[in-house]
């Protein structure tokens, strides 16, 4: 079956520090990969996505590259801000079998806290 | 925003009582999902729907049932709530490219 593993958290950084949150996956077929972000008291929002090997997703200064050879999709940001404090989820959807919809498999989430 | 609302937003109920959570969308999307969020587990899929009256089980479906009589509404029912069902429940709809849009969540406490 499909699975997603994220680095253990929580992660605490100072403003302007470099961020990496590791994500590795196991999947059948050719998955699409996602990073979702959840701000306190809210639902999840899509942060970025990549649909095939070597694709780079980017948004709001965050980036992640789909690495098929290492089955990874690590999230990075060069300079974090206090407003980036949130929970980050790596997820995948594998449409193996020709289904036309996707059931997301999530990692356990990583809590990021950024201090001024 | 993708036009998803959930009701109620908070609920406290007693063990053994039935509970129904509602998800309403205004976008006319075909696919809808119910997840639960628990610490250390991320989000786990409970049930999903691929059309009116078309539903199927997800990863953690035991103790839950769903119904979808209209495109815009997807109901999640706990027939007899247990303390292990204390959680935050999220509804989602699926847009293009497998992107899912999530509702604001319902925090359910079973005492």
């Amino acid at each position: 079956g499909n699975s997603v593993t994220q680095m253990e958290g929580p992660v605490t950084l100072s403003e302007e520090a470099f961020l990496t949150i590791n994500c590795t996956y196991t999947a059948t077929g050719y998955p699409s990969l996602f990073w979702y972000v959840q701000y306190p008291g809210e639902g999840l929002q899509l942060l970025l996505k990549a649909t095939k090997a070597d694709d780079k997703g980017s948004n709001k200064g965050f980036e992640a590259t789909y690495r098929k050879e290492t089955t990874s999709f690590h999230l990075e940001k060069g300079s974090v801000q206090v407003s980036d404090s949130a929970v980050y989820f790596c997820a995948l959807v594998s449409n193996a079998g020709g289904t036309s919809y996707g059931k997301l498999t999530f990692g356990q989430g990583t809590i990021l806290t950024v201090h001024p | 925003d993708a036009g998803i609302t959930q009701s109620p937003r908070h609920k406290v109920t007693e063990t053994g009582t039935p509970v129904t959570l509602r998800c309403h969308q205004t976008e006319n999307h075909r696919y809808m999902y119910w997840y639960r969020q628990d610490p250390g587990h991320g989000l786990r899929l409970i049930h999903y729907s691929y059309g009116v009256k078309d539903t199927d089980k997800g990863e953690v479906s035991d103790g839950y049932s769903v119904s979808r009589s209209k495109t815009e509404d997807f109901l999640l029912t706990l027939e007899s709530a247990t303390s292990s069902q204390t959680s935050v429940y999220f509804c989602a709809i699926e847009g293009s490219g497998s992107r899912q849009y999530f509702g604001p969540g319902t925090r359910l406490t079973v005492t």
Side-chain angles (χ1 to χ4, degrees), chain A residues 34 36 38 41-44 46 49 89 93 95 100-104 106-109, chain B residues 9 31 33 35 37 40-43 45 48 50 90 94 97-100 102-104:
Chain A
F34 304 83
Y36 280 83
Q38 183 180 30
E42 299 183 7
L44 280 69
L46 179 65
K49 63 180 280 189
F89 293 93
V93 60
N95 291 336
S100 59
Y101 56 89
K103 293 175 284 182
L104 284 168
F106 285 89
Q108 72 270 35
Chain B
R9 294 293 314 278
Y31 303 115
Y33 304 83
Y35 296 89
Q37 182 179 22
H41 291 280
L43 275 75
L45 182 65
Y48 61 97
Y50 45 97
F90 287 98
E94 183 163 327
S98 297
R99 174 177 180 164
Q100 292 189 16
F102 287 80

